[in-house]
Amino acid sequence: MTAGANAIAATTPDAALAVRLKPLAPDAHQHIPALDVTITVNGPGVPAGQPILKMPLVTSNVESIAKTLTGLSAEDGQGPLSLTIVDDTGAGASRHWKADRATSGEVVVHYRAPISDILATRGAAPPLELRTDTGAFSGQGATFLLLPEAKLPWKLSVAWDLSNLAPGAIGVSSFGPGNVAPAVNGADEMGESYFMAGKVQVYPNTAPAAGFFSAWYGKPPFELHDLMASEQKLYSYYEKFFSRPSTAPYVVFMRENLVNAGGGVSLGTNSFVTTFGPKTDLQDVKITLAHEMLHTFAGHIDGDLESSWYGEGLAVYYARLLALRAGQITPDDFLKDLNDTAGRYYTNAMIARPNSEVAANFWLDTRIRVLPYDRGSMYFAVLDGTLRAASDGKVTLDTLLLAMLEREHRALPVNLDAWRALLKQHLGDAGVKQLDAMLSGAVMLPEAQGFGPCFTRTSKPMRRYLLGFEPAVLVEPKRIVRGLVAGSAAEKAGLRNGDAITKPVPQDMIQGQQNAMLTLEIQRDGKPLTITYLPRAETVDAYQWARTGNLPDSACAY
């Protein structure tokens, strides 16, 4: 905590933020239609005309309920408060609520949050929206919680009223199962948390005071209890590798996603959420879980999406490697995930785009969106090889990662300058030049055996991904096809400029699947149509890795 925060805490020792959630009864389709929310804010008074509450309009390309919540009321010790709305403009816009008079003491806010069962409206996005299925609901706090504007070390608490739900219903948040009161935190931590309640399953049955815990609902195509037992072992391995034993619950959330199943997102509160669909592959989920858990341990460098090559690249690189070292996946599983990443990277038509273009285009084009993951991971493989060669194997990527985490532990800056300094310390100017080349869009190519002694580099003819029309269409409020590419598979399948795409379209996963078909539900001249095609273009030689030699599986973890 900073000195300024300590000063605020000293003047507001009892600042408290309490959230109480009461889901309505499920309908005939087992959808929970809404959530009654009570927010109690006990903090310093806010002058008249100053904002007291806020909610982002959009977070991570997910629309919040800021414009659709109903029944909003607020009161303090002096009686009802009349609230007015003020919206920001531009990127990162939020809606703010101002009171007609100064507030005094405890402020209690009530409203109803509608829960949707429709597909996400803005296309590619993490599974954060408030959503309901199969007698349960879930969503990130930022998408449905009105939170105080004041930057204070709030004493947080979460309480559940599940009286409208069937017997056995449970509530879980990123802070743990049931009613919880975590340590003093900022209000933003409540917004970054995830919430799930209803007909929910958990592992283990008895929640630990600290460490791995998981909650899910829906109909997964495989046994999740067995999967979570495996991931719990991997989590324990992470604790030892990073020398970071847990002091609080670490919660893994899973729910169904019919649009872009398999993706996940790490949250800022010792938790993450991922999804599954009817055809989700078990081994893919293992790697995704390993990836998202790793974010909590490996961290990131300061910055926005332009810095995501570091956190996402490390997560891709280490998720498969540490899972292999821990014995939670086989060398063949490792190889499959490596080749999925390599195939997507080396066939990407945007492979040479500089990192400076990532932030502005991240949500507009799937080919840009995957670059931090794919290019970042290949950069770290190249760097690991360079470090090993320069030090006769005494220094590896592990060395630099743990050094960055030690800086974080000591409250030193964890940014690009710190990373450059580490590179210069171990590799001189050549290490910095290698980093700058990657950021400028240079193709990152690890050595032939850059992924350990069991694998060697080869190549394979593969086809580039091509959507066939302007990619930005898929994240617009009205998805009207434009920029149709002449001769593309989309055009040959019958798609036309002016067609209205009526359902969100997944892309990130199929980009790495050479034979995956893309189905568009469209409307043309008032009539519904379905168009299916293979979104591929020219063939290129792409690097892959293959199992080599007769080494036993135990020798494959480098």
Side-chain angles (χ1 to χ4, degrees):
M1 186 181 294
T2 66
N6 277 321
I8 293 173
T11 59
T12 56
D14 298 320
L17 170 60
V19 171
R20 187 173 185 82
L21 304 175
K22 183 178 182 179
L24 272 62
D27 62 18
H29 301 287
Q30 287 300 294
H31 294 158
I32 297 173
L35 186 64
D36 281 337
V37 182
T38 302
I39 308 289
T40 303
V41 181
N42 194 341
V46 179
Q50 295 297 312
I52 61 173
L53 300 164
K54 66 178 179 179
M55 185 186 296
L57 294 171
V58 176
T59 178
S60 298
N61 209 40
V62 173
E63 291 183 357
S64 75
I65 66 152
K67 295 182 178 181
T68 59
L69 64 83
T70 61
L72 177 61
S73 67
E75 61 181 350
D76 63 5
Q78 300 180 43
L81 291 163
S82 178
L83 301 179
T84 56
I85 292 171
V86 177
D87 288 345
D88 297 329
T89 58
S94 291
R95 173 162 287 191
H96 307 267
W97 283 261
K98 297 181 178 181
D100 60 333
R101 59 170 174 79
T103 66
S104 176
E106 185 176 87
V107 176
V108 181
V109 181
H110 299 278
Y111 60 93
R112 178 162 289 183
I115 306 179
S116 176
D117 60 355
I118 64 173
L119 302 177
T121 57
R122 295 176 62 90
L128 301 177
E129 78 278 8
L130 196 58
R131 182 169 178 79
T132 179
D133 291 293
T134 60
F137 84 90
S138 59
Q140 187 189 32
T143 68
F144 72 95
L145 290 180
L146 280 171
L147 296 174
E149 295 267 0
K151 299 290 186 180
L152 296 175
W154 299 95
K155 296 178 181 177
L156 306 180
S157 64
V158 175
W160 298 93
D161 180 348
L162 305 179
S163 57
N164 289 325
L165 304 183
I170 62 172
V172 182
S173 70
S174 293
F175 304 113
N179 299 340
V180 289
V184 175
N185 292 290
D188 287 346
E189 194 155 340
M190 189 71 83
E192 291 168 357
S193 299
Y194 205 73
F195 299 82
M196 178 180 288
K199 193 184 296 184
V200 173
Q201 298 188 66
V202 299
Y203 177 89
N205 291 331
T206 301
F212 187 92
F213 182 71
S214 59
W216 67 90
Y217 65 87
K219 301 175 182 178
F222 36 72
E223 174 52 57
L224 276 181
H225 285 87
D226 293 344
L227 173 62
M228 291 307 173
S230 173
E231 295 303 315
Q232 185 180 40
K233 294 177 181 177
L234 180 59
Y235 183 84
S236 296
Y237 184 88
Y238 284 0
E239 289 182 303
K240 294 176 183 177
F241 177 80
F242 291 100
S243 299
R244 185 180 162 184
S246 295
T247 58
Y250 181 83
V251 188
V252 176
F253 296 96
M254 292 191 74
R255 74 182 191 189
E256 196 165 10
N257 185 348
L258 300 179
V259 176
N260 200 18
V265 58
S266 178
L267 304 169
T269 49
N270 224 33
S271 61
F272 76 89
V273 57
T274 188
T275 62
F276 54 83
K279 298 181 180 180
T280 300
D281 180 79
L282 176 60
Q283 296 305 321
D284 289 344
V285 174
K286 277 190 174 183
I287 294 295
T288 297
L289 292 171
H291 176 114
E292 298 302 339
M293 284 195 300
L294 196 79
H295 279 303
T296 301
F297 290 90
H300 60 277
I301 59 174
D302 296 339
D304 57 13
L305 288 171
E306 192 171 332
S307 300
S308 58
W309 62 270
Y310 180 88
E312 297 299 352
L314 281 175
V316 172
Y317 178 83
Y318 272 107
R320 68 171 82 96
L321 176 57
L322 295 187
L324 182 63
R325 289 180 184 176
Q328 294 306 301
I329 62 171
T330 67
D332 288 343
D333 297 332
F334 177 97
L335 188 62
K336 178 183 181 300
D337 185 73
L338 167 60
N339 282 334
D340 285 348
T341 299
R344 192 168 70 174
Y345 177 55
Y346 295 115
T347 62
N348 193 335
M350 304 293 182
I351 192 172
R353 291 293 183 95
N355 191 65
S356 58
E357 296 184 14
V358 168
N361 297 286
F362 189 84
W363 296 114
L364 299 180
D365 192 327
T366 183
R367 297 169 299 179
I368 296 289
R369 189 161 54 252
V370 300
L371 275 179
Y373 300 77
D374 300 343
R375 181 160 63 199
S377 68
M378 290 300 174
Y379 162 70
F380 286 119
V382 170
L383 176 58
D384 182 68
T386 305
L387 290 166
R388 291 173 187 267
S391 66
D392 292 327
K394 297 177 182 177
V395 178
T396 69
L397 184 61
D398 293 0
T399 310
L400 272 64
L401 170 58
L402 295 176
M404 288 290 277
L405 293 176
E406 177 61 22
R407 290 183 63 85
E408 180 181 327
H409 178 71
R410 295 166 56 196
L412 295 172
V414 182
N415 52 26
L416 187 57
D417 288 341
W419 183 249
R420 288 185 188 278
L422 271 177
L423 293 174
K424 191 171 181 64
Q425 174 187 339
H426 291 281
L427 296 172
D429 291 338
V432 177
K433 183 179 290 186
Q434 187 181 69
L435 169 67
D436 289 339
M438 183 273 291
L439 295 176
S440 297
V443 175
M444 294 289 102
L445 182 60
E447 295 294 330
Q449 289 191 296
F451 292 96
C454 292
F455 314 106
T456 191
R457 193 179 69 213
T458 182
S459 65
K460 178 181 178 180
M462 303 177 78
R463 297 181 67 187
R464 292 194 191 279
Y465 181 82
L466 181 66
L467 178 62
F469 56 92
E470 174 57 49
V473 166
L474 296 181
V475 295
E476 294 170 350
K478 294 183 178 180
R479 295 178 285 265
I480 308 301
V481 174
R482 65 177 184 278
L484 190 67
V485 178
S488 66
E491 185 197 46
K492 292 176 180 177
L495 193 66
R496 298 291 178 263
N497 284 321
D499 287 343
I501 300 174
T502 57
K503 290 186 178 181
V505 181
Q507 291 186 88
D508 294 0
M509 294 294 289
I510 66 172
Q511 222 187 132
Q513 300 168 352
Q514 285 282 301
N515 298 314
M517 305 295 285
L518 184 64
T519 297
L520 302 178
E521 301 290 338
I522 69 167
Q523 194 167 62
R524 180 187 300 162
D525 298 329
K527 297 179 180 179
L529 294 172
T530 299
I531 293 179
T532 299
Y533 61 98
L534 182 66
R536 295 288 157 184
E538 70 272 19
T539 299
V540 297
D541 285 331
Y543 294 106
Q544 296 277 274
W545 273 259
R547 187 77 183 258
T548 184
N550 297 312
L551 291 175
D553 287 0
S554 59
C556 293
Y558 58 103

